Amino acid sequence: MSNPTKLGRLEKLSVNILTDTSKMLKDAKTELFADLRGRVLEVGAGTGVNVYFFKDQRVIEWVAVEPDLKLAEECERAMEEMGDRARVFKGYLHDLDEPKGSFDCVVFSTLLCSVPDPSAIVRESHSVSYTHLRAHETLRYLV
C-alpha cells in the first residue's frame, strides 16, 4: 500500500481503545469464534483486531466490511499475515456485492456500541446478513 493514511492523535487513541477492548473481551471472543470455518464476513471490522481469531486455517476467507477509511487501512495492515485469505471491503454492508448465501458466518463484534442507531443496524443486519449467509449457518453478535 503506498501512502498509508496517517492517524491523528484522537484516532490513535481510538485505535488503542479498540485494541484494549478486544483484549478485555478475549475470553468471550475465544468462545464465540471457536468453531469458525469457511468464509467469514465481519461487519464493522474496525482495525482488524479479530485477526487473532480469524487467521486459523479453518477460516478460508475473511471479508471485513469497514466504512471508515482510516480504520480500513489499519485493518488491511492487521490482516497482511493472512495473505490472500483476507480482504477489506471499504464501504457499508448494504453495498457489498457478494452472491447470496456465500458466507458460512457473519460476525458483528463490538460494533453496536459505536453506531448512533444500534436498533437500525440490527434490523438491517438481519435482512442483509441473512442474504449473505448460507442456509443453516450462523450470525454472531458480541455487543
Side-chain angles (χ1 to χ4, degrees), residues 65-76:
V65 176
E66 179 51 59
D68 183 299
L69 297 181
K70 290 180 181 179
L71 293 179
E73 285 186 9
E74 289 291 311
C75 187
E76 285 175 330

Side-chain angles (χ1 to χ4, degrees), residues 63-127:
V63 177
V65 176
E66 179 51 59
D68 183 299
L69 297 181
K70 290 180 181 179
L71 293 179
E73 285 186 9
E74 289 291 311
C75 187
E76 285 175 330
R77 282 190 275 284
M79 59 175 44
E80 284 176 353
E81 66 185 280
M82 289 183 66
D84 62 358
R85 294 188 311 123
R87 66 184 172 88
V88 176
F89 174 73
K90 297 174 183 174
Y92 293 92
L93 178 60
H94 59 265
D95 294 324
L96 182 66
D97 186 24
E98 288 281 340
K100 288 186 176 188
S102 60
F103 289 95
D104 297 293
C105 185
V106 177
V107 172
F108 291 80
S109 172
T110 62
L111 167 71
L112 298 177
C113 59
S114 64
V115 295
D117 188 357
S119 59
I121 295 293
V122 170
R123 282 191 304 277
E124 181 183 352
S125 71
H126 276 90
S127 61

Side-chain angles (χ1 to χ4, degrees), residues 2 7 10-11 18 30 47 57 63 67 114 133 138:
S2 62
L7 298 177
L10 182 59
E11 288 136 338
L18 289 170
T30 298
T47 61
Q57 291 299 315
V63 177
S114 64
L133 270 173
T138 59

